[in-house]
Amino acid sequence: MPEEDKKAAFADYAALAEIENWSGAPPMGLPQNATIVTVTDGAPVLTDGPWLDIRHTVGGFAVVEAPDLDAAVALAAQVPRARLGGAVEVRPSVSLF
């Protein structure tokens, strides 16, 4: 990846970290409830999850408080990985109690 693209991606991740409803991570929901977000031609493309299989690894995760899936997808589409050939998996959280 060109250095300019790397710097832009890091800046995008830093901007996401500043969003008030984006934070550290409690337990994730079940894989069968996941929605995969990729970006094609600037528009989010949704696929039923899960994304992970034996070919993929988790690069990290964040928790976003969103009123619905559409709002979560809009944020996921801003993650650089979604538009740089990767994907972002969106799952509803689960309560442990």
Side-chain angles (χ1 to χ4, degrees):
M1 178 183 295
E3 189 64 29
E4 184 176 305
D5 291 345
K6 286 181 189 178
K7 287 181 181 179
F10 285 127
D12 289 344
Y13 281 117
L16 287 168
E18 295 298 319
I19 295 173
E20 184 176 316
N21 60 338
W22 184 284
S23 65
M28 288 192 294
L30 298 173
Q32 62 263 33
N33 295 328
T35 300
I36 306 307
V37 181
T38 56
V39 177
T40 301
D41 296 326
V45 177
L46 308 182
T47 308
D48 289 340
W51 170 253
L52 293 178
D53 62 24
I54 59 171
R55 300 173 298 143
H56 299 94
T57 61
V58 174
F61 68 100
V63 175
V64 176
E65 293 183 35
D68 54 34
L69 181 60
D70 291 338
V73 165
L75 277 172
Q78 294 178 51
V79 176
R81 197 73 203 132
R83 68 173 185 276
L84 297 173
V88 174
E89 185 173 298
V90 176
R91 295 186 194 182
S93 62
V94 295
S95 174
L96 298 177
F97 304 98

